[in-house]
Amino acid sequence: MIGDPAFFGRVWAEDYDSGPELDPTPAVDFLAPLAGGRRTLELAIGTGRVALPLAARGVPVEGVEGSELMAAKLAAKPGGAEVPVTIGDMADVPVTGRFAVVYLVFNTIFNLVDVRRQADCFANVARVLEPDGAFVVETYVPDPSRFPDGKRVQALWADVGSAAIEVYDVDLAAQRFVSQKVIFTADGIRLKPHAQRYTYPGELDLMAERAGLRLAERHETWDRRLFTGTSRSHVSVYRPV
């Protein structure tokens, strides 16, 4: 069921690491000095794309993950068993103690499909941050023009053995979409659904403010490229007021 913290993992864990490879180095280069060797938490840690190389830099990383399937894939990787992972809803931040850095990468806060749960996430992060801590959020900047009339169909690939399309149905008023990646093979059709509630930077800033956090930095990318009105992504750093 969409909204269930374990839903994404049930659908995507099997072949999550076989998708396009995303280089974690820019994120790790940004996060490691921010953590300064202190306790750090990744929400929706997944299979450890960022957490494992960050831990290899000497940062004590822990994680929250909604899916036991994703967490098992992390634990099976070299060094993965040494990263403590709590299974639960990232919006609840179900951990004890305080952290120098809490981070959410690759649009994952949008996987919380209810705006109230996104706000809960900010409030619960604020609860576990050190007084000089940082909450780092990486997302795209929403562009509704990609979904004329709230619909979109995109061809992903076609070869002699398979083809795939992705179909989007967008509720523009609620800022929420459901998508289906439809994969056609000689063995049949596979459906891989996903849902997001996309949120504009200003909305995230308001959630932070209500949680007792303030925007300290905003960059277009992990390498601190200047964020402008035409930027299509952002890395935002929030700190306790």
Side-chain angles (χ1 to χ4, degrees):
M1 177 181 176
I2 290 174
D4 176 356
F7 176 79
F8 184 88
R10 284 199 298 270
V11 174
W12 295 91
E14 180 182 354
D15 51 8
Y16 184 77
D17 287 332
S18 65
E21 185 174 349
L22 298 172
D23 182 6
T25 305
V28 173
D29 287 344
F30 186 100
L31 293 167
L34 202 61
R38 296 186 294 166
R39 195 176 182 214
T40 298
L41 179 68
E42 179 171 357
L43 301 180
I45 194 170
T47 63
R49 178 181 68 88
V50 174
L52 288 174
L54 185 59
R57 297 272 187 99
V59 177
V61 182
E62 301 176 33
V64 172
E65 173 54 48
S67 167
E68 292 184 0
L69 295 172
M70 296 286 273
K73 284 188 168 288
L74 165 60
K77 294 180 178 180
E82 299 169 15
V83 176
V85 177
T86 300
I87 302 299
D89 190 331
M90 66 177 173
D92 295 331
V93 193
V95 295
T96 58
R98 292 188 175 271
F99 296 84
V101 175
V102 180
Y103 65 94
L104 255 172
V105 300
F106 199 48
N107 321 312
T108 309
I109 194 168
F110 297 166
N111 290 2
L112 297 169
V113 295
D114 185 318
V115 64
R116 292 167 296 186
R117 293 301 280 158
Q118 293 179 353
D120 287 344
C121 184
F122 272 85
N124 286 314
V125 167
R127 172 179 54 81
V128 303
L129 271 183
E130 295 281 6
D132 64 343
F135 181 30
V136 184
V137 180
E138 177 202 17
T139 77
Y140 60 82
V141 176
D143 179 7
S145 68
R146 296 178 62 234
F147 307 104
D149 302 318
K151 310 292 181 186
R152 184 181 180 196
V153 179
Q154 177 182 3
L156 298 179
W157 77 77
D159 56 35
V160 295
S162 67
I165 61 173
E166 194 153 24
V167 182
Y168 291 84
D169 186 6
V170 185
D171 183 334
L172 294 171
Q175 298 174 201
R176 184 181 297 116
F177 70 74
V178 175
S179 67
Q180 279 281 6
K181 185 176 181 180
V182 187
I183 303 170
F184 305 89
T185 69
D187 297 324
I189 298 173
R190 292 177 64 200
L191 300 177
K192 297 177 73 68
H194 184 44
Q196 288 189 345
R197 195 272 173 181
Y198 56 85
T199 307
Y200 293 89
E203 290 181 276
L204 295 174
D205 296 349
L206 183 57
M207 292 178 194
E209 181 180 334
R210 289 178 173 174
L213 303 172
R214 62 176 175 83
L215 178 67
E217 303 174 39
R218 173 163 288 142
H219 312 282
E220 183 176 280
T221 53
W222 290 110
D223 62 2
R224 290 183 164 81
R225 188 179 306 162
L226 180 66
F227 180 83
T228 71
T230 60
S231 295
R232 301 182 67 178
S233 63
H234 67 100
V235 176
S236 297
V237 180
Y238 299 94
R239 293 188 179 274
V241 173

